[in-house]
Amino acid sequence: MAVMGRPATQGRPAGLGRPAGLSRPAGLALNVAAVLGLLCVAVAAVAMLTGMRIIIFSTGSMAPTTPAGSLAVTLPIAAPDIAVGDVISAPRAGDGALVTHRVVSIDHATGLWLVSMRGDANKASDAAPYDVTDGAQRLVWSAPGVGAAIAQVRSPWILVATLALLGLIAIPSRRRAHRHRAGRREAADLRTAVSPATPAAAAPEPGPAGR
């Protein structure tokens, strides 16, 4: 009696088995965004715990050591710990604007801690002393040019261009995922159409009659 063999396995259309998802450029862009996001969260946490501040030099008064466009990190410092030669950020008398210059003299004879400061690129000291009785921020690190780059990133035009680029990257990825799902459905329909019906179990043939 002939035995019906199993139907041949149908080949899968090209592309099946490959996981649907983002393209390589889109995945790379999202990974970079995630890393930058985590970095921002870490910096914010450190700033909250230590009082750290990040400033961008908009003028060249501290050139050549810290030229315009530099990114700098400052940490809190108590008035008694300030020394001549330190670069600190202190509020300016009158408008309270923070000025970051180098300390050239300290006076605390009146009970207040007053410092005179001068920019490295300036020939004269600032017009009025700064009251740092409640403390100030001391510069501990700087990187020329980094602040200017960050300022450009914060520009609304750069933000619009970045969003547009991410959109262009995501469109092909969505199309690829759609084609992948359509291919899976077509393959499933093809297997259903070519699969033979399950044959009924054959009845056993009677053996020879007993004597």
Side-chain angles (χ1 to χ4, degrees):
M1 167 175 154
V3 179
M4 182 177 294
R6 296 179 60 186
T9 302
Q10 299 295 327
R12 291 187 300 181
L16 290 182
R18 183 179 179 180
L22 297 175
S23 63
R24 183 172 299 177
L28 178 60
L30 290 179
N31 287 336
V32 171
V35 171
L36 291 177
L38 291 176
L39 181 60
C40 290
V41 171
V43 171
V46 171
M48 292 180 60
L49 294 174
T50 64
M52 179 187 74
R53 292 182 182 176
I54 296 177
I55 61 175
I56 297 176
F57 282 78
S58 58
T59 68
S61 62
M62 285 299 295
T65 55
T66 314
S70 297
L71 180 75
V73 175
T74 65
L75 291 174
I77 182 173
D81 297 329
I82 298 175
V84 172
D86 287 343
V87 177
I88 67 171
S89 294
R92 184 168 55 195
D95 58 6
L98 286 178
V99 176
T100 306
H101 281 168
R102 193 176 301 278
V103 177
V104 294
S105 67
I106 302 174
D107 179 14
H108 56 89
T110 61
L112 297 177
W113 289 80
L114 302 176
V115 298
S116 295
M117 300 197 299
R118 182 172 65 237
D120 290 351
N122 298 340
K123 296 181 179 180
S125 298
D126 298 345
Y130 298 83
D131 185 353
V132 294
T133 305
D134 295 330
Q137 294 283 127
R138 179 170 57 186
L139 188 147
V140 295
W141 178 84
S142 65
V146 177
I150 292 178
Q152 290 296 325
V153 171
R154 291 166 56 185
S155 168
W157 293 108
I158 299 297
L159 178 60
V160 170
T162 302
L163 293 177
L165 178 60
L166 290 177
L168 291 175
I169 292 175
I171 289 174
S173 302
R174 292 176 62 87
R175 290 177 177 174
R176 185 180 297 108
H178 177 73
R179 289 196 300 267
H180 181 82
R181 288 192 296 267
R184 290 178 64 90
R185 286 195 297 268
E186 292 176 0
D189 293 342
L190 181 61
R191 286 195 295 268
T192 301
V194 301
S195 296
T198 303
E205 297 180 358
R211 294 181 180 179

